[in-house]
């Protein structure tokens, strides 16, 4: 029941990684919390490839503008763990 892909993994000069997701907004589109999505990608990439993330980035693209929103990796993973535990309690009670 979970779908999606991340768009970009960056390696920073300190050797840590950042996970970025591009979000397109229309002229009237509104930003939303992406920390859980980023956290899910971080957990999977860490488990599969051993990458250590320092931050998650959302690249908000809108007509005539692009903004980068940054969160710590801890914030993102914590948000994912909260969402996933709610999912498990609701959809996988056994």
């Amino acid at each position: 029941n979970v779908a999606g892909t991340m768009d970009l993994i960056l390696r920073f000069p300190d050797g840590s990684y950042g996970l970025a997701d591009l979000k397109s907004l229309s002229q009237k589109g509104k930003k939303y919390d992406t920390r859980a999505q980023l956290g899910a990608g971080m957990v999977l990439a860490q488990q599969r490839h051993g990458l250590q993330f320092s931050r998650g980035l959302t690249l908000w693209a809108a007509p005539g503008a692009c903004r980068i929103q940054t969160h710590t990796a801890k914030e993102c993973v914590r948000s994912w763990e909260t969402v996933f535990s709610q999912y498990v309690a609701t959809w996988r009670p056994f």
Side-chain angles (χ1 to χ4, degrees):
N1 298 49
V2 177
T5 59
M6 295 296 113
D7 294 307
L8 179 67
I9 294 177
L10 305 162
R11 185 169 183 189
F12 297 109
D14 67 359
S16 70
Y17 292 88
L19 187 62
D21 195 12
L22 174 64
K23 300 294 185 188
S24 299
L25 294 174
S26 67
Q27 189 72 31
K28 296 181 182 181
K30 295 185 180 187
K31 295 179 184 177
Y32 51 92
D33 190 354
T34 59
R35 290 177 295 177
Q37 291 174 284
L38 292 166
M42 288 176 186
V43 168
L44 293 172
Q46 196 283 323
Q47 290 174 349
R48 177 77 174 142
H49 302 289
L51 302 178
Q52 296 301 313
F53 291 92
S54 62
R55 64 204 96 157
L57 304 100
T58 306
L59 312 174
W60 295 103
C66 183
R67 302 279 186 263
I68 300 172
Q69 183 178 24
T70 304
H71 301 286
T72 68
K74 287 182 182 181
E75 285 179 273
C76 296
V77 171
R78 188 176 20 224
S79 182
W80 166 244
E81 289 171 343
T82 298
V83 169
F84 188 63
S85 67
Q86 292 169 351
Y87 168 81
V88 169
T90 301
W91 297 103
R92 299 181 185 182
F94 300 102

